[in-house]
Amino acid sequence: EPEVTQTPSHQVTQMGQEVILRCVPISNHLYFYWYRQILGQKVEFLVSFYNNEISEKSEIFDDQFSVERPDGSNFTLKIRSTKLEDSAMYFCASKRDRNTEAFFGQGTRLTVV
Amino acid sequence: QKEVEQNSGPLSVPEGAIASLNCTYSDRGSQSFFWYRQYSGKSPELIMFIYSNGDKEDGRFTAQLNKASQYVSLLIRDSQPSDSATYLCAVNTKDSNYQLIWGAGTKLIIKP
């Protein structure tokens, strides 16, 4: 069964460092998303991506965040200068169509120290 | 501000009983509704989705949607200890460009 894959599963980084979180969405899906979930809190939308551009982003997705789809398969989230409060689980999701269900990757646990 | 509300719980249900989870949403333009299950430290896993008013059954799970009252529920029959998890309600709306609006989740505990 097709699935969304994310790497790495766990990333520890020092404050101020750049991190890149990687995702491979399901191959025939067209809509891609990044969400994050701080421990014990609700899932928060970060950004949606369609047709090689950002379609929507939340207030959380400020200038330190960027997304790319560098080739036909990967979808990356870059955090330029990490802060302690960026520590969270980051989930990538993809959808076939905009009104269909989203399938999630297993997440990357980011720990900023 | 579009909102999705869930009782945070925990909801404790004896094994074998029916667990009933509820969710209300504020945006009348909401078009599709999803229930995800999330185990601690894991990603959300899709359980059910529903688009039309009424009931939708899949195995032990039944999703119920009432657009007039703006609520969606999930029933789990014959509850098992492995059903213990946090259940997240998520809603797609056209106005939010179809990005999911999430509830905070209901923690469900099935007691053997």
Side-chain angles (χ1 to χ4, degrees):
Chain A
E1 184 174 323
E3 60 180 16
V4 178
T5 57
Q6 288 185 245
T7 55
S9 56
H10 191 185
Q11 173 95 43
V12 180
T13 188
Q14 287 197 325
M15 190 170 55
Q17 295 297 302
E18 174 183 287
V19 295
I20 298 176
L21 310 182
R22 302 180 191 279
C23 170
V24 179
I26 295 173
S27 62
N28 64 344
H29 285 192
L30 301 176
Y31 296 81
F32 313 117
Y33 304 83
W34 283 101
Y35 293 87
R36 81 171 185 191
Q37 187 176 32
I38 295 170
L39 186 64
Q41 297 186 23
K42 67 193 296 184
V43 176
E44 299 175 291
F45 167 75
L46 292 178
V47 65
S48 58
F49 193 87
Y50 170 71
N51 201 24
N52 286 321
E53 61 183 21
I54 291 174
S55 48
E56 189 155 349
K57 58 185 180 180
S58 72
E59 293 175 353
I60 303 168
F61 194 88
D62 60 23
D63 291 345
Q64 71 161 343
F65 290 92
S66 62
V67 290
E68 270 193 336
R69 190 158 160 81
D71 54 42
S73 59
N74 290 287
F75 179 50
T76 62
L77 174 69
K78 182 191 291 187
I79 309 175
R80 260 180 275 282
S81 177
T82 50
K83 303 191 283 281
L84 294 177
E85 54 264 39
D86 293 328
S87 296
M89 282 288 282
Y90 287 81
F91 297 112
C92 172
S94 68
K95 296 201 281 189
R96 189 185 70 245
D97 296 305
R98 60 184 180 178
N99 203 26
T100 56
E101 63 272 30
F103 292 89
F104 283 76
Q106 293 306 304
T108 294
R109 180 174 297 283
L110 176 65
T111 303
V112 182
V113 296
Chain B
Q1 178 81 5
K2 296 176 176 56
E3 307 242 332
V4 175
E5 301 287 342
Q6 294 181 257
N7 188 323
S8 62
L11 174 65
S12 185
V13 174
E15 183 177 358
I18 295 175
S20 177
L21 303 159
N22 298 311
C23 171
T24 59
Y25 58 94
S26 62
D27 184 7
R28 284 198 171 275
S30 300
Q31 299 188 335
S32 46
F33 308 85
F34 305 89
W35 283 101
Y36 286 83
R37 177 176 64 198
Q38 187 177 31
Y39 294 112
S40 181
K42 303 295 185 182
S43 61
E45 174 192 7
L46 181 70
I47 298 296
M48 295 279 293
F49 60 89
I50 187 167
Y51 300 136
S52 304
N53 271 331
D55 295 1
K56 179 182 178 183
E57 189 174 315
D58 183 0
R60 295 187 297 113
F61 299 97
T62 300
Q64 299 175 316
L65 175 61
N66 184 322
K67 288 188 177 181
S69 300
Q70 294 177 240
Y71 83 77
V72 56
S73 61
L74 179 70
L75 302 178
I76 307 174
R77 286 181 299 282
D78 188 24
S79 299
Q80 305 295 311
S82 58
D83 295 327
S84 297
T86 296
Y87 288 80
L88 305 171
C89 174
V91 173
N92 248 357
T93 65
K94 186 177 178 183
D95 285 350
S96 66
N97 202 20
Y98 296 97
Q99 53 122 327
L100 292 171
I101 310 296
W102 294 85
T106 298
K107 185 171 183 177
L108 176 66
I109 299 172
I110 306 299
K111 291 190 170 179

